[in-house]
Amino acid sequence: SDLHLTAEWVTASHETHGIPLAAPGEVYLWLDRDAHHVRLPRLEGGTAMRSWQLRQAAPVVAACFDRLTLHARGVALDDVAVAFVAESDAGKSTLAWELVKAGADPLADDLLPVRFAADIVVPPETPLTHVCFLQRASSAMTLAPLDAAAAMQRHLANGFGEPGEASAWAFQFDAYHHLTGGVAHFGLTIPDDRSRLDDVVAWLPDALRAA
């Protein structure tokens, strides 16, 4: 990343400096913005826990430096580059992986950093053409266009802004507004039955191109 951040794990008694970024009821990191330095509480769990903490912290810290990150899996299908946005366990990773096995190129795994260039949203190397908010239902398989207001609401619900940092939310609000104006947004519903994933993979690329 061009942020060049450093991270340090500290005990609860360690003197901390900078902005406390907090989950409800507890601080989960301190950000020294001037020094590009992050301090995280030392938790049990070793390397796996530290990796999890960094993945949770990275998009929030990035927002404090005016960088936008989507909670998304991204794939490129020839002339279509799509981000699947959803909460954890909604099926975006499974769907993206099945598309990759069918020939798509992976763009991002769970966290998709984006930037804007000449009104085009650009994840690493590939301009984004579609954003799909994913949900699962009993049997439906639909791709429904979203207007800018509906897309904005869903981005805000899935965003990484820090409630204590108004500037981070202000940046993200502007970035989502730009994103919804420059990229087609959809509500994507796929069957909850994973045995039907082959049907989804066969249907979705053509549905995206025709949308």
Side-chain angles (χ1 to χ4, degrees), residues 9 21 23 35 80-81 140-141 181-182 199:
W9 279 262
L21 304 179
V80 172
M141 195 159 61
D199 295 335

Side-chain angles (χ1 to χ4, degrees), residues 11-91:
T11 63
S13 61
H14 191 283
E15 182 181 356
T16 58
H17 305 278
I19 304 167
L21 304 179
E26 62 178 308
V27 173
Y28 66 90
L29 66 90
W30 296 266
L31 171 64
D32 184 342
R33 184 181 289 162
D34 292 337
H36 285 224
H37 189 83
V38 177
R39 294 179 176 85
L40 300 106
R42 190 182 304 278
L43 304 175
E44 295 182 2
T47 301
M49 175 56 71
R50 290 194 292 273
S51 177
W52 178 85
Q53 285 178 285
L54 286 174
R55 289 181 68 83
Q56 298 300 306
V60 178
V61 172
C64 292
F65 287 97
D66 293 347
R67 304 293 198 279
L68 181 64
T69 308
L70 300 182
H71 189 194
R73 286 292 301 261
V75 300
L77 301 151
D78 297 326
D79 54 339
V80 172
V82 56
F84 300 112
V85 181
E87 297 180 355
S88 298
D89 299 323

Side-chain angles (χ1 to χ4, degrees), residues 86-102:
E87 297 180 355
S88 298
D89 299 323
K92 60 184 183 295
S93 296
T94 302
L95 174 58
W97 174 239
E98 292 299 324
L99 288 166
V100 168
K101 288 199 301 183

Side-chain angles (χ1 to χ4, degrees), residues 136-162:
R136 293 184 294 185
S138 57
S139 60
M141 195 159 61
T142 61
L143 185 68
L146 298 175
D147 62 25
M152 174 71 80
Q153 289 178 345
R154 298 200 191 191
H155 274 304
L156 291 172
N158 286 276
F160 290 111
E162 164 54 39

